[in-house]
Amino acid sequence: MRIQTIRKYFNLFILTLLFHTSIPAYAGKVVVAKGVSDIQDGKMAQAYKVALANAKRAAIEQAVGTIIESRTLVENFQMVSDQVFTSASGRLKSFQILEEGKTEDNLYQVTIQAEADVDGLIQQVDSFQKALKWQKKPRITVIIDDFSVEKDSISAEQVRSYLIDNLQDDKFPVYDLAPDTKLRGGFVIHLNVAKQQDESEYQGMKLTSNALAINARLTRADDQKILATASGAKTLPGASSSRSSRKAAKKIVKTIWQELRKELTQAWVNEQYAARSMGLFIEDLESHQQAKDVVQAIKQTLAGVKSIELVSYDKGLAEFQLNYRGWPEQFVDELHSSVFSQRHFSSKVQRLAGNQLTIKIQ
């Protein structure tokens, strides 16, 4: 490869210094990336220009690739990636050419070290997704309070079933919040269901009516903060309590879901990129050095992480404190993204409760 030797070694020396200093940097900001281009008709200047543009695109992909993969619907991943990577070269705060020249395969290759504006890139990803509705939807759990189960479990389960049907019709993933659930995140809809049958007489005729009341509250799964409430009630005539309850439940649930959906969508948009403190615990690490390597891997690759610190290491268990843009569930998705797992390690969730996550490296 035809490369300016003096500049190559000088730049590599500077790069070595940068990687061995303790200057703190936000995750994914400083990256090293390569770009290549065919050399058409011996036009080296044009090949250099294309290779540099490809290197910049690769740097952007390293900076926010995990964000896009973890928060974008699978069927839209390539589309949103192309939109962001193609138009985001202006989000590089600075770049330095480390190497450039012709390869043995008759390609022109450029290697750069770049500092990316991660905050700006994440905002750009968010704006694309909001405009075109590419965001993953939050997971929802629907639970019934104990009082409703004790009084009339059949009616309560009917209401829960109808609400889940509405959620799934709108493509919201629904999961059970069981005691052994390892992955908890998203939102919870709590249902209170009350049914009553009344009998009265009018001009010697016995009249029967069935009343059904449903109260719902929407909370975050991690801290149980109430985000919205909705309620409805209906009274229907008829001697058949079961048939009347089903009819009333469908109508009430439809109305309640229309109210909750607006609040749920807004809450998801507002909090999807809000920064929060998280505790990360990794079990069965082999050494303190491996724990420090985890810090570097997360800093370099996970764009949602603003900062991470190794708090302690003892007998294979490492504790980390980090500041993360998003929900713990999204952090898990970033860890499991191919961008991260193929470069560093795969992991399995052991526990996720609130903002405390425990994983094991596989």
Side-chain angles (χ1 to χ4, degrees):
M1 182 183 290
R2 202 157 40 83
I3 301 174
Q4 299 179 10
T5 306
I6 295 176
R7 183 172 65 181
K8 170 185 174 181
Y9 287 107
F10 175 77
N11 288 335
L12 288 175
F13 172 71
I14 295 298
L15 179 60
T16 302
L17 288 178
L18 287 171
F19 276 113
H20 286 82
T21 55
S22 59
I23 299 173
Y26 287 145
K29 280 193 174 180
V30 178
V31 297
V32 175
K34 293 181 179 180
V36 296
S37 172
D38 291 326
I39 302 173
Q40 302 289 339
D41 301 324
K43 296 179 180 179
M44 303 290 284
Q46 179 62 26
Y48 164 80
K49 183 178 179 180
V50 174
L52 178 59
N54 289 336
K56 290 180 178 179
R57 177 186 171 108
I60 296 298
E61 182 176 359
Q62 287 190 47
V64 293
T66 57
I67 284 284
I68 295 174
E69 183 171 342
S70 66
R71 306 189 191 190
T72 304
L73 294 171
V74 173
E75 59 268 29
N76 297 315
F77 171 68
Q78 191 60 51
M79 192 183 302
V80 70
S81 298
D82 290 341
Q83 288 278 356
V84 173
F85 298 154
T86 301
S87 62
S89 61
R91 293 294 183 182
L92 292 180
K93 291 183 176 181
S94 62
F95 71 91
Q96 179 185 10
I97 296 177
L98 302 180
E99 292 183 338
E100 61 168 293
K102 187 178 177 181
T103 70
E104 295 177 356
D105 299 326
N106 200 35
L107 298 172
Y108 202 91
Q109 179 174 287
V110 175
T111 303
I112 66 171
Q113 177 184 295
E115 183 179 6
D117 177 8
V118 174
D119 289 331
L121 284 165
I122 289 177
Q123 290 175 6
Q124 190 169 8
V125 173
D126 192 25
S127 66
F128 276 128
Q129 295 193 137
K130 285 180 182 177
L132 298 173
K133 299 181 180 178
W134 285 340
Q135 291 164 315
K136 286 183 176 179
K137 291 186 177 180
R139 295 182 179 187
I140 310 294
T141 299
V142 182
I143 62 176
I144 307 166
D145 67 17
D146 294 337
F147 178 80
S148 298
V149 174
E150 289 176 4
K151 287 293 184 181
D152 194 333
S153 61
I154 295 177
S155 294
E157 284 298 334
Q158 286 176 346
V159 170
R160 181 177 183 271
S161 177
Y162 294 148
L163 180 55
I164 289 175
D165 289 343
N166 279 265
L167 285 161
Q168 292 177 339
D169 286 344
D170 284 344
K171 310 302 181 185
F172 282 89
V174 180
Y175 74 111
D176 291 329
L177 191 63
D180 60 347
T181 299
K182 292 183 177 178
L183 185 62
R184 301 187 182 192
F187 300 91
V188 180
I189 298 177
H190 306 259
L191 291 175
N192 177 278
V193 181
K195 186 178 75 170
Q196 181 175 337
Q197 187 177 76
D198 293 320
E199 293 183 351
S200 60
E201 287 191 8
Y202 178 74
Q203 295 182 349
M205 296 188 339
K206 183 177 289 187
L207 303 177
T208 304
S209 64
N210 295 280
L212 181 68
I214 304 173
N215 294 298
R217 70 180 188 278
L218 173 70
T219 69
R220 289 194 300 223
D222 55 359
D223 61 7
Q224 297 300 305
K225 178 181 178 181
I226 297 177
L227 303 174
T229 60
S231 61
K234 276 195 174 295
T235 300
L236 298 175
S240 175
S241 172
S242 177
R243 186 172 61 220
S244 297
S245 293
R246 289 195 299 269
K247 187 176 180 180
K250 286 184 177 181
K251 291 182 179 180
I252 299 171
V253 166
K254 184 176 181 179
T255 301
I256 285 177
W257 171 234
Q258 288 174 347
E259 293 181 30
L260 291 182
R261 182 174 54 191
K262 295 177 183 178
E263 299 295 335
L264 172 61
T265 304
Q266 187 60 49
W268 183 239
V269 170
N270 290 343
E271 299 196 21
Q272 190 166 195
Y273 293 96
R276 70 191 66 227
S277 294
M278 279 185 56
L280 172 64
F281 299 85
I282 302 183
E283 298 177 344
D284 297 340
L285 290 179
E286 296 178 357
S287 64
H288 186 263
Q289 182 58 50
Q290 188 182 13
K292 294 198 292 188
D293 292 342
V294 168
V295 172
Q296 292 304 315
I298 290 177
K299 273 186 177 181
Q300 292 169 10
T301 312
L302 298 190
V305 177
K306 297 189 70 173
S307 64
I308 179 171
E309 176 186 359
L310 175 59
V311 177
S312 65
Y313 174 82
D314 183 41
K315 298 179 181 179
L317 177 64
E319 178 183 355
F320 306 84
Q321 189 66 36
L322 54 91
N323 192 260
Y324 180 69
R325 304 176 186 89
W327 290 56
E329 183 187 30
Q330 292 168 330
F331 177 75
V332 171
D333 285 341
E334 280 203 76
L335 280 178
H336 291 168
S337 68
S338 60
V339 175
F340 184 83
S341 59
Q342 291 175 9
R343 292 177 184 172
H344 301 293
F345 57 81
S346 298
S347 62
K348 183 178 181 180
V349 173
Q350 303 300 303
R351 291 174 296 281
L352 175 54
N355 291 330
Q356 304 294 312
L357 168 67
T358 302
I359 65 171
K360 182 181 291 186
I361 294 178
Q362 295 181 307

